[in-house]
């Protein structure tokens, strides 16, 4: 059994900007008492366009960042889409210094990714995700407000 935790990010003045999670290739994780934000450095999609991964470092520490994987089959990103979701996901908030995942969605925990809007012509996808993740020491964290905008190649 995992214990609930009140996980917090280290305070960062850069994450005060409202553009994170709204501008292209940015992300933001809002927790009740702290937030983390950053830029995506890469988005990769499968040749069948039914799964993609996006990742990038935190603006506050190049040693930490976010990785999101999502699997959408039978849905294919070959046309404009609105309000689609999947729970076939992987989520990691990593720390390169300790070579650990500060937060990780583990088997049995649910993480939902919602694409509010995807434009096939521009490749821009705007969305959010929410669910459960586990800290490195095994405590459960409820994540309710992870926002992102990505450009899918």
């Amino acid at each position: 059994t995992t214990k609930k935790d009140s996980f917090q990010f280290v305070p960062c003045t850069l994450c005060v900007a409202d553009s994170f999670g709204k501008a292209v290739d940015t992300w933001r994780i809002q927790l009740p008492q702290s937030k983390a934000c950053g830029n995506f450095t890469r988005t990769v999609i499968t040749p069948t366009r039914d799964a993609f991964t996006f990742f990038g470092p935190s603006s506050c520490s190049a040693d930490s960042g976010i990785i999101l994987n999502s699997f959408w089959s039978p849905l294919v990103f070959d046309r404009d889409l609105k309000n689609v979701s999947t729970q076939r996901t992987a989520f990691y908030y990593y720390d390169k210094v300790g070579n650990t995942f500060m937060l990780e969605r583990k088997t049995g925990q649910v993480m939902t990714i919602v694409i509010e809007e995807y434009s096939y012509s521009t490749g821009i996808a705007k969305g959010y995700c929410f669910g459960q993740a586990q800290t490195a020491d095994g405590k459960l964290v409820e994540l309710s407000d992870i926002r992102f905008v990505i450009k899918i190649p």
Side-chain angles (χ1 to χ4, degrees):
T1 304
T2 55
K3 295 179 182 178
K4 293 251 180 177
D5 190 37
S6 57
F7 179 87
Q8 292 186 41
F9 295 106
V10 174
C12 175
T13 56
L14 294 173
C15 292
V16 173
D18 197 37
S19 61
F20 285 102
K22 294 181 180 176
V24 175
D25 286 332
T26 65
W27 58 269
R28 185 201 75 209
I29 302 173
Q30 179 72 53
L31 295 174
Q33 297 178 14
S34 64
K35 63 176 84 173
C37 63
N39 293 295
F40 289 113
T41 52
R42 187 130 189 238
T43 301
V44 181
I45 192 164
T46 60
T48 53
R49 302 191 66 80
D50 63 355
F52 51 88
T53 299
F54 42 111
F55 52 89
S58 166
S59 291
C60 302
S61 169
D63 291 329
S64 61
I66 192 172
I67 302 169
L68 280 163
N69 299 320
S70 58
F71 306 92
W72 299 84
S73 181
L75 183 67
V76 177
F77 283 73
D78 62 354
R79 63 190 179 286
D80 291 350
L81 297 167
K82 285 186 185 262
N83 298 315
V84 295
S85 65
T86 184
Q87 291 185 334
R88 292 182 299 151
T89 64
F91 166 83
Y92 309 93
Y93 190 81
Y94 63 84
D95 175 11
K96 284 193 215 175
V97 174
N99 201 24
T100 61
F101 293 123
M102 294 164 57
L103 293 170
E104 178 181 6
R105 187 202 63 81
K106 299 263 189 178
T107 302
Q109 298 165 347
V110 176
M111 177 72 66
T112 302
I113 295 179
V114 178
I115 300 294
E116 296 172 289
E117 187 172 355
Y118 169 68
S119 167
Y120 181 70
S121 63
T122 65
I124 305 294
K126 176 181 160 186
Y128 61 94
C129 56
F130 59 92
Q132 300 172 325
Q134 195 168 310
T135 61
D137 62 355
K139 294 181 181 159
L140 188 65
V141 176
E142 294 289 337
L143 300 169
S144 61
D145 192 7
I146 302 171
R147 300 239 167 228
F148 59 86
V149 179
I150 56 173
K151 182 163 178 57
I152 299 173

